Amino acid sequence: MSGTFIGMPAFPEAAAEAVGNATLRANLRHATRTIRDKRAVAVAELDDWAELREAGKQIKDRTLHRLDHYLVQLEESVTAAGGTVHWAADAAEANRIVTDLVKATGESEVVKVKSMATQEIGLNEALEAEGITAYETDLAELIVQLAEDRPSHILVPAIHRNRGEIRDIFRSEMGRWGRPAPEGLGDSPAELAEAARLHLREKFLRARVGISGANFMVAETGTLVVVESEGNGRMCLTLPETLISVVGIEKVVPTWRDLEVFLQTLPRSSTAERMNPYTSMWTGTSDDDGPSDFHLVLLDNGRTDVLADEVGRQALRCIRCSACLNVCPVYERAGGHAYGSVYPGPIGAVLTPQLRGTTSEIDASLPYASTLCGACYDVCPVAIDIPEVLVHLREEVADRGGRGHRLEKAAVKAAGWVLDRPGVLAAGERVAARTRGAHPGRLPGASAWTDSRDLPRMPAEPFRDWWRKNRS
């Protein structure tokens, strides 16, 4: 993955700072609870939701099992339809390919559809370094870009901002990027949307190059699919002369029949809608409609390494609905920035360490950014067992060592020795009970736990002695 977010503090430090931000917590609490309540209603309308969920899981697993076959089929289909396929092993190669393609057009501006893959590789920064300006056209991504901020949610990147903050950002920053905000702009949703519409319209009409990701790629026909709710994606996908799509290799599905399952589960699980407002599909190029030049950049960037992990590979089923974020008690309180990645929340806690590795402090901390309550698994439309993967990754981090993990292993080994010797355990309990008045209020070496929790008081006598006196 791109190093854009590397250098941030580990999750515990970043989360502690976020929790102290009352405005952030209020914004997150209101937004996540609203979304998840609506989602629950939308999902409950389908009697066969459990069957659709299982079907999605099986389709994804079958595809990942034969990913090499379906990717070759996809390349053949896209090429036959007039497109050009490029393979990118990592972020640097993907950025070089896209930059060279844009330069070949002679253009210095591009319009973008919301894309997590391009955020993952740091494409905007790579284009900027080559003198190319990338304009985000999704409303939330526009807010993030204008504020020189970072996305904090998979579906709603500006979820950490309220309407007043967005109004202020539009007023102060829109003029630097193009058409300024209207005079006297208020903070009603209609006014903010209209300001964004006016600002973006000139960019849509001027742009000659569009850049997108894709929610799905259909191997049998070479068709790419983008689902969105504002119409900006439709403009970026149809108006420019050149379209470049950067897509993770795991987004392929074998057939149109497989796609039908996800077009039912994705909108209900993400935006709580029965069907998506804008579903754009394109297959290669056409002389009569859409871009005349189409390039598909298939992105690996660590995905084949994830595929090799029998437990962790299920994270590649993800269809980016963000339902897991909206039910996660940790995300609701800490927000997305604390995860130090474009993939926040529970899915980010398992996907990011696999894509980037767990050698950095922040990546090693992400598998611990969870209570393991299981709510994320319950709502996942493709049944990713995120708690299972989190525990699996924690084992990996612990096995690699480090001061805290060495101390933990030593403590467990010592406890095992004592528990194997009942006489030693009983003697230790009696000593602990008799010296309880001298026990500290905080446990040395465990401040992360005891700074916010009371250390339980030791009882006046061990349970064994109490039982012997009262129940023998």
Side-chain angles (χ1 to χ4, degrees):
M1 286 179 74
S2 166
T4 303
F5 292 84
I6 296 294
M8 290 187 61
F11 182 85
E13 290 78 19
E17 181 179 348
V19 168
N21 186 330
T23 300
L24 173 65
R25 290 188 62 178
N27 294 345
L28 290 169
R29 181 170 58 251
H30 172 73
T32 56
R33 292 182 181 182
T34 299
I35 296 171
R36 70 172 177 250
D37 289 347
K38 290 182 177 178
R39 177 199 175 277
V41 173
V43 167
E45 292 178 348
L46 295 182
D47 294 333
D48 61 345
W49 178 260
E51 288 78 9
L52 285 168
R53 184 178 190 240
E54 180 62 23
K57 172 187 174 182
Q58 295 295 337
I59 290 168
K60 281 289 189 176
D61 283 349
R62 184 179 79 245
T63 306
L64 292 172
H65 184 67
R66 300 190 63 203
L67 188 58
D68 54 346
H69 165 76
Y70 291 117
L71 287 173
V72 171
Q73 183 184 11
L74 174 70
E75 180 182 30
E76 293 171 348
S77 300
V78 170
T79 303
T84 303
V85 177
H86 309 262
W87 298 80
D90 54 26
E93 186 173 12
N95 287 332
R96 178 185 57 76
I97 291 169
V98 176
T99 300
D100 289 347
L101 290 172
V102 176
K103 284 183 173 180
T105 68
E107 295 295 318
S108 60
E109 295 180 344
V110 300
V111 289
K112 288 186 66 201
V113 187
K114 179 179 181 296
S115 164
M116 303 216 62
T118 60
Q119 291 172 357
E120 174 188 325
I121 63 176
L123 179 61
N124 287 12
E125 293 79 9
L127 291 173
E128 183 180 14
E130 296 295 326
I132 301 167
T133 303
Y135 293 113
E136 297 290 351
T137 64
D138 173 84
L139 177 55
E141 290 286 1
L142 172 64
I143 295 165
V144 170
Q145 185 175 51
L146 292 176
E148 297 182 350
D149 200 352
R150 299 188 310 274
S152 64
H153 192 276
I154 289 176
L155 181 67
V156 194
I159 196 172
H160 56 290
R161 299 286 191 177
N162 58 40
R163 294 185 309 183
E165 291 175 305
I166 295 169
R167 175 204 58 210
D168 294 341
I169 291 168
F170 280 8
R171 284 177 174 177
S172 64
E173 304 299 330
M174 268 188 170
R176 293 195 304 113
W177 289 81
R179 179 168 179 159
E183 288 291 333
L185 176 66
D187 65 356
S188 71
E191 288 180 275
L192 295 173
E194 180 63 15
R197 187 179 296 114
L198 294 172
H199 177 80
L200 291 170
R201 186 168 296 161
E202 62 179 32
K203 294 179 170 52
F204 290 136
L205 297 176
R206 187 174 66 229
R208 296 291 177 266
V209 180
I211 295 178
S212 80
N215 295 92
F216 306 101
M217 303 179 290
V218 183
E220 68 176 351
T221 60
T223 302
L224 273 70
V225 183
V226 161
V227 296
E228 42 107 7
S229 58
E230 298 171 13
N232 64 294
R234 180 72 53 85
M235 302 288 277
C236 292
L237 296 167
T238 56
L239 291 179
E241 298 169 359
T242 299
L243 174 61
I244 305 168
S245 299
V246 182
V247 190
I249 56 176
E250 81 280 14
K251 294 296 185 71
V252 64
V253 295
T255 68
W256 278 86
R257 185 175 182 179
D258 297 322
L259 176 65
E260 183 266 341
V261 172
F262 301 110
L263 292 183
Q264 292 186 72
T265 56
L266 179 55
R268 288 180 185 267
S269 203
S270 58
T271 57
E273 294 168 301
R274 295 182 178 90
M275 65 180 293
N276 202 70
Y278 291 90
T279 301
S280 299
M281 304 180 184
W282 66 100
T283 307
T285 59
S286 170
D287 295 333
D288 303 320
D289 184 35
S292 57
D293 194 15
F294 169 58
H295 297 268
L296 171 59
V297 181
L298 291 172
L299 178 67
D300 187 328
N301 206 34
R303 286 160 173 78
T304 52
D305 293 334
V306 180
L307 191 62
D309 188 324
E310 292 185 2
V311 177
R313 71 172 60 137
Q314 59 185 296
L316 295 178
R317 292 185 208 145
C318 179
I319 58 175
R320 308 293 192 264
C321 71
S322 77
C324 62
L325 280 70
N326 300 324
V327 299
C328 178
V330 176
Y331 175 86
E332 182 181 319
R333 288 156 179 81
H337 292 159
Y339 293 82
S341 167
V342 298
Y343 302 113
I347 188 61
V350 296
L351 184 59
T352 300
Q354 294 189 86
L355 292 176
R356 293 199 308 213
T358 56
T359 56
S360 73
E361 185 180 7
I362 187 168
D363 292 323
S365 71
L366 288 178
Y368 297 88
S370 171
T371 64
L372 299 180
C373 68
C376 50
Y377 171 68
D378 291 340
V379 299
C380 179
V382 286
I384 301 171
D385 194 341
I386 292 178
E388 178 187 33
V389 184
L390 286 168
V391 172
H392 172 66
L393 291 173
R394 290 180 184 185
E395 292 174 356
E396 178 182 307
V397 172
D399 287 343
R400 199 177 61 248
R403 180 176 177 274
H405 298 296
R406 288 195 296 270
L407 290 173
E408 182 182 47
K409 285 183 178 180
V412 170
K413 186 176 181 179
W417 186 88
V418 172
L419 292 172
D420 278 342
R421 293 162 176 78
V424 175
L425 176 62
E429 289 173 343
R430 293 189 182 101
V431 170
R434 290 167 185 166
T435 60
R436 68 191 191 115
H439 292 178
R442 294 285 182 269
L443 190 63
S447 59
W449 180 266
T450 58
D451 279 354
S452 57
R453 298 169 179 84
D454 292 330
L455 192 65
R457 289 276 297 166
M458 184 69 65
E461 62 178 337
F463 176 75
R464 296 164 182 263
D465 295 348
W466 178 90
W467 182 269
R468 191 176 294 110
K469 288 191 300 184
N470 293 280
R471 292 291 188 272
S472 59

